[in-house]
Amino acid sequence: MPSNRRRPLPPFVPGLPLLLLLAVAPPPAASAVGVNWGFVSSHPLPAALVVRGLLLPNSVPRVRLAAASSDALSALAGTGVTVTVGVPDALLRPLASSTKAAAAWVHDNITRYASSVRFEYIAVGEEPFLLSHGEHFQSFVVPAAANIKKALTAAKLSSKIKVVVPCSADTYQNASMLPSKASFRPDVNKTMAELLSFLTNNSSPFMVELNPFLSFQQHKNLSLDYYLFQLMSHPVKDGQNKYDNYFDASIDSLVTALTKAGFSDMDIIVGRAGWPTDGAVNATPAIAQSFMTGLVNHLAKKSGTPLRPKVPPIETYLFSLLDEDQRNTASGGYERHHGIFTFDGQAKYYANIGQGPKSLNNAPEVDYLPSKWCVIDNNKDLSNVSSSLSAACSSGDCTALLPGGSCSGLGWPGNVSYAFNNYYQQHDQSEDSCNFNGLGLITNVDPSVDNCLFPLAIRTSAAASLHLTSAMLRLLVLWFCIFCL
């Protein structure tokens, strides 16, 4: 958003304990921390602007792309930023079924950029073992990973690029929350044994996706301090081991599960760890800053965990770089607000993503649509406005209106105006998108109230190809596989 509409950032360092931590803990080693970059946004920033305006000025050492994007890969060429490329769940079946499809995917998304992009991993699947998926993707995961590996070998890239599989934290079950009691879910045991053997044979690490906010919501007996790396007077005891933060307990739960499966020495990568800033109670920029600062400082100390002292995860990817207003909200509306930066590249709080103690650089020269907003016309009969509100929220993003959200205090009819405007901006301020049966009104007066900002969209002509290219590639690969099965 334009500079005069940004939320004020939380204090650079909230409190003396954190100040002391920053004083004694150096910035994390460049090899340890990276950021996730997702593309599920109605108005994504142009990839070139993300790279030249956010990643490079903030000295981000590595980035994990949610999916292959020609725009993003082209922008990353020659930068020296280490890159992990994701493979969507929708491609698992065709890639598992056809070595030709895997070879085509590797050629189009890896080989053609390999001379100028510093690839490190290909992440096969988007948490394919997620409990809510059931067994839908399980049978395709290892064959897809194996075919990708074969394609890398044929392209003479297997010594430089490793294949990993992102596994959600619920892949291993732990009802007691004690790491020593963890084990892989019975329904994934067979597939997990195959995956672990594949990873071991190819010297690949285990990638786990942590969702600390979801865990915090699910475990009311654990304090917020436990998740924010704050000193605790009563740490969680597990035999002789003590845990004063969620992160270490999660890693050791995985270590226990791996040990029980016979792979006690496997390296671990944390593919996701972050905290949302909106869309729920306790999802705020100040708390997110506290989590991120605690996490980065904890990693910088390289103290490891009780089960792996002095051996922290070999890499951890912060979740995430930018807000994504089209992300699935099955876990909660907060999933759309994990960005360290807003959708338009403006920092929401301080986090060390590579730049050290310096403030974050915002995306420069963002191309916004005109300063126009859509609000409710209070001079009209509003007795039937609820249907228009529902219609606006069904295809717009109203997650900021949820309890605890930044706009949850608007009340009626302010919440209707917020919904109308969100729909209006997502439809590029077209005049007919502010109709709502005659109840909408276009205004040049910013209707934002305190921390509730009514968004102003950015132009997407330069960025639209990112989605288009990804979608076309998916369709081409799927079409190709129909004829090669």
Side-chain angles (χ1 to χ4, degrees):
M1 299 174 190
S3 58
N4 63 340
R5 300 188 69 243
R6 295 178 197 150
R7 287 187 182 91
L9 292 175
F12 175 69
V13 181
L16 181 60
L18 206 50
L19 180 62
L20 294 175
L21 276 174
L22 282 178
V24 300
S31 62
V33 175
V35 295
N36 284 267
W37 176 7
F39 309 124
V40 193
S41 175
S42 63
H43 288 73
L45 279 175
L49 181 56
V50 173
V51 174
R52 301 294 173 183
L54 292 180
L55 298 183
L56 297 184
N58 291 304
S59 303
V60 174
R62 59 188 62 238
V63 65
R64 177 186 171 194
L65 306 181
S69 158
S70 60
D71 285 354
L73 291 171
S74 296
L76 287 163
T79 62
V81 176
T82 303
V83 178
T84 293
V85 178
V87 176
D89 285 339
L91 290 181
L92 291 178
R93 182 171 184 173
L95 291 174
S97 304
S98 168
T99 55
K100 291 182 180 179
W105 187 93
V106 168
H107 175 271
D108 291 346
N109 300 297
I110 304 297
T111 307
R112 63 186 294 200
Y113 301 101
S115 63
S116 56
V117 174
R118 189 179 177 185
F119 290 109
E120 185 174 24
Y121 297 107
I122 296 175
V124 178
E126 307 163 279
E127 301 183 306
F129 302 119
L130 198 66
L131 185 60
S132 59
H133 289 334
E135 298 183 5
H136 187 70
F137 299 111
Q138 283 190 32
S139 61
F140 308 126
V141 175
V142 177
N147 283 345
I148 290 288
K149 173 66 177 180
K150 290 177 184 176
L152 289 173
T153 300
K156 295 180 170 56
L157 294 171
S158 60
S159 62
K160 298 179 180 179
I161 307 170
K162 296 186 182 299
V163 178
V164 295
V165 173
C167 296
S168 52
D170 68 7
T171 303
Y172 47 95
Q173 59 185 11
N174 189 2
S176 70
M177 290 302 290
L178 297 179
S180 64
K181 304 298 183 183
S183 61
F184 287 113
R185 294 196 328 255
D187 63 294
V188 301
N189 271 340
K190 182 177 182 296
T191 304
M192 191 55 56
E194 297 172 353
L195 173 61
L196 295 175
S197 294
F198 169 82
L199 296 175
T200 298
N201 293 337
N202 293 284
S203 301
S204 292
F206 189 98
M207 177 178 278
V208 62
E209 311 276 69
L210 301 182
N211 191 336
F213 190 78
L214 178 61
S215 175
F216 171 64
Q217 289 188 315
Q218 293 175 338
H219 300 96
K220 302 300 183 183
N221 59 317
L222 296 174
S223 70
L224 184 59
D225 286 347
Y226 183 69
Y227 289 85
L228 302 183
F229 300 88
Q230 302 297 310
L231 294 177
M232 295 177 61
S233 58
H234 299 289
V236 175
K237 293 183 179 181
D238 186 7
Q240 298 299 313
N241 294 323
K242 296 180 180 180
Y243 294 90
D244 57 10
N245 67 82
Y246 156 86
F247 186 83
D248 284 354
S250 295
I251 298 301
D252 275 0
S253 293
L254 174 56
V255 170
T256 299
L258 288 170
T259 300
K260 291 179 180 178
F263 296 85
S264 59
D265 296 328
M266 182 168 286
D267 287 332
I268 293 172
I269 286 180
V270 177
R272 161 187 169 142
W275 198 272
T277 60
D278 208 341
V281 177
N282 291 309
T284 69
I287 296 178
Q289 174 174 295
S290 184
F291 173 83
M292 286 296 199
T293 303
L295 173 60
V296 172
N297 283 332
H298 183 66
L299 293 170
K301 290 186 290 186
K302 300 182 180 179
S303 56
T305 66
L307 292 184
R308 287 190 175 181
K310 306 300 181 182
V311 185
I314 58 176
E315 291 176 13
T316 297
Y317 288 84
L318 306 180
F319 189 80
S320 90
L321 185 66
L322 297 157
D323 281 349
E324 299 172 77
D325 64 353
Q326 300 296 298
R327 279 188 66 84
N328 187 297
T329 58
S331 300
Y334 64 84
E335 282 286 4
R336 295 180 173 177
H337 303 278
H338 268 94
I340 297 168
F341 295 87
T342 54
F343 76 97
D344 52 348
Q346 310 305 308
K348 292 187 278 184
Y349 57 88
Y350 164 78
N352 180 4
I353 59 177
Q355 87 288 1
K358 297 185 297 183
S359 298
L360 287 165
N361 286 281
N362 294 319
E365 301 177 0
V366 178
D367 188 11
Y368 293 91
L369 294 178
S371 296
K372 297 190 298 183
W373 297 265
C374 176
V375 297
I376 193 169
D377 188 344
N378 289 310
N379 294 318
K380 297 293 180 65
D381 179 9
L382 306 182
S383 58
N384 295 317
V385 73
S386 58
S387 60
S388 295
L389 171 63
S390 298
C393 288
S394 65
S395 58
D397 177 27
C398 293
T399 53
L401 296 173
L402 293 171
S406 60
C407 298
S408 59
L410 278 180
W412 188 91
N415 57 344
V416 181
S417 288
Y418 182 89
F420 281 9
N421 180 67
N422 198 280
Y423 183 92
Y424 174 66
Q425 301 297 336
Q426 287 199 5
H427 289 78
D428 299 317
Q429 297 186 353
S430 65
E431 187 171 346
D432 59 351
S433 67
C434 188
N435 189 327
F436 297 106
N437 298 316
L439 299 179
L441 175 69
I442 297 174
T443 178
N444 295 319
V445 179
D446 187 348
S448 300
V449 180
D450 299 326
N451 282 334
C452 174
L453 301 186
F454 281 53
L456 189 63
I458 60 177
R459 299 187 190 278
T460 56
S461 57
S465 61
L466 186 149
H467 280 309
L468 182 62
T469 302
S470 180
M472 286 180 64
L473 178 60
R474 183 180 297 114
L475 289 174
L476 285 172
V477 172
L478 291 173
W479 174 85
F480 181 84
C481 289
I482 290 175
F483 292 93
C484 65
L485 291 177

